[in-house]
Amino acid sequence: MDNNKKDLPIAVFDSGVGGISVLKEAVKIMPNEDFYFFGDSKNAPYGTKTTDEVRKLTLGHVNDFLNMGIKGLCIACNTATSAAVRVLRGMYPDLPIVGIEPAVKPAATFMVHPSVLVMATPMTIHGGKLRHLIDKFGADADIHLLSCPGLMEFVESGRTEDPLFIPFLESLLYEYSINNPNRTKIDAVVTGCTHYPFAAKEILSVLGPDVRLFDGGEGTARELKRRLAVADLLRDTSHKGTVTFEMSAGGDAKLKLCRRLLKS
Ligand code: DGL
């Protein structure tokens, strides 16, 4: 493999800051790589748009990344993965492309017949990709789907400590809340949007301490590393990796939030 190609960055893409929950895991296991993170905060949220709109936005950004020069791509957005990953793989068969999908499999199999709550954006909840995952792995679990419009916005604007956030979650999750005497009991929750891990503590404070949280970030980062290794695209250990952030809106305040979330 020619070294020039190995020296290129790996692009990590999301509609906003959420994909940093995947980037964090990728940096941990690939400390010698240069990462280019792009968040489309100008067009966020993606989860309340149509599939066609999200696909068009995603294809446009990926085209820009390729013009810039990248050696691999991580779609660190469940919504964009659901809308565009298949098309992208068809368009760029030589580029290692990894998408994220809700961690339904580990959540459905961690105990005998668990009750699992899948939280995701409206588009992911209604998309065929999640339906397919549930058909495949959901037979051994009771799966509850919850569309969460409004949740990513708290993370995107860095407001998870806002006094309005817990009341918002209480109302969104009331059916499963520890404060609801008639609640539907769940054993596990799947964070099916990359923004939600940044609100994990708050989500679990509403669902109760016995609920186990499953997120796809770590598995996605591992798969990204595996794909790059198979293509012989990983750098050697003499290079100290870097992370560059670019956001399509939000200026310095947004970049500051990105750096804070990466360190969190
Ligand atoms: N972070 C994105 C996801 O994983 C979506 C957030 C949004 O833009 O609605 O689905």
Side-chain angles (χ1 to χ4, degrees), residues 34-89:
D34 292 338
F35 290 94
Y36 167 72
F37 181 91
F38 181 85
D40 192 9
S41 30
K42 186 170 142 202
N43 293 299
Y46 276 15
T48 47
K49 292 187 161 47
T50 65
T51 305
D52 281 353
E53 284 170 323
V54 172
R55 186 178 302 125
K56 202 163 156 215
L57 286 166
T58 306
L59 296 188
H61 293 307
V62 172
N63 185 48
D64 293 344
F65 305 159
L66 284 159
N67 287 336
M68 187 185 82
I70 57 167
K71 66 178 178 184
L73 170 68
C74 176
I75 306 286
C77 175
N78 294 266
T79 308
T81 297
S82 157
V85 83
R86 234 192 17 214
V87 180
L88 283 169
R89 289 201 178 109

Side-chain angles (χ1 to χ4, degrees), residues 6-260:
K6 281 192 182 182
D7 291 351
L8 291 172
I10 301 163
V12 180
F13 169 68
D14 182 32
S15 62
V17 299
I20 298 170
S21 62
V22 184
L23 174 69
K24 252 167 81 165
E25 302 298 332
V27 169
K28 255 188 239 166
I29 59 169
M30 289 179 273
N32 307 110
E33 298 301 329
D34 292 338
F35 290 94
Y36 167 72
F37 181 91
F38 181 85
D40 192 9
S41 30
K42 186 170 142 202
N43 293 299
Y46 276 15
T48 47
K49 292 187 161 47
T50 65
T51 305
D52 281 353
E53 284 170 323
V54 172
R55 186 178 302 125
K56 202 163 156 215
L57 286 166
T58 306
L59 296 188
H61 293 307
V62 172
N63 185 48
D64 293 344
F65 305 159
L66 284 159
N67 287 336
M68 187 185 82
I70 57 167
K71 66 178 178 184
L73 170 68
C74 176
I75 306 286
C77 175
N78 294 266
T79 308
T81 297
S82 157
V85 83
R86 234 192 17 214
V87 180
L88 283 169
R89 289 201 178 109
M91 288 171 76
Y92 309 111
D94 297 331
L95 180 73
I97 300 176
V98 173
I100 187 166
E101 54 187 26
V104 172
K105 181 184 175 186
T109 50
F110 87 104
M111 63 182 277
V112 179
H113 213 90
S115 178
V116 177
L117 174 65
V118 180
M119 297 173 69
T121 66
M123 220 202 86
T124 300
I125 290 290
H126 298 117
K129 207 158 180 13
L130 180 60
R131 187 72 275 146
H132 177 71
L133 271 179
I134 292 171
D135 287 348
K136 210 161 153 198
F137 303 112
D140 297 326
D142 284 331
I143 309 263
H144 306 265
L145 300 180
L146 185 66
S147 169
C148 304
L151 174 47
M152 76 75 86
E153 285 85 340
F154 277 94
V155 175
E156 189 60 33
S157 53
R159 288 188 300 125
T160 51
E161 275 157 31
D162 188 305
L164 294 176
F165 188 45
I166 293 288
F168 167 84
L169 285 177
E170 278 289 0
S171 139
L172 179 74
L173 295 167
Y174 187 68
E175 186 174 342
Y176 312 96
S177 166
I178 195 157
N179 297 319
N180 175 354
N182 302 315
R183 74 184 157 135
T184 302
K185 172 116 185 43
I186 52 161
D187 302 299
V189 60
V190 173
T191 43
C193 164
T194 53
H195 282 72
Y196 303 169
F198 292 118
K201 191 172 66 145
E202 291 80 5
I203 290 170
L204 288 178
S205 79
V206 173
L207 296 177
D210 297 336
V211 172
R212 191 136 155 215
L213 187 138
F214 288 85
D215 177 60
E218 198 189 323
T220 303
R222 263 191 276 114
E223 177 61 8
L224 179 63
K225 183 174 182 181
R226 192 189 69 75
R227 291 288 309 278
L228 290 163
V230 167
D232 189 23
L233 282 171
L234 290 172
R235 297 183 74 132
D236 66 50
T237 52
S238 63
H239 179 75
K240 191 175 174 331
T242 59
V243 175
T244 305
F245 287 108
E246 188 177 341
M247 306 298 284
S248 58
D252 284 350
K254 188 66 100 181
L255 294 175
K256 206 167 146 200
L257 174 62
C258 290
R259 287 190 285 269
R260 173 156 75 75

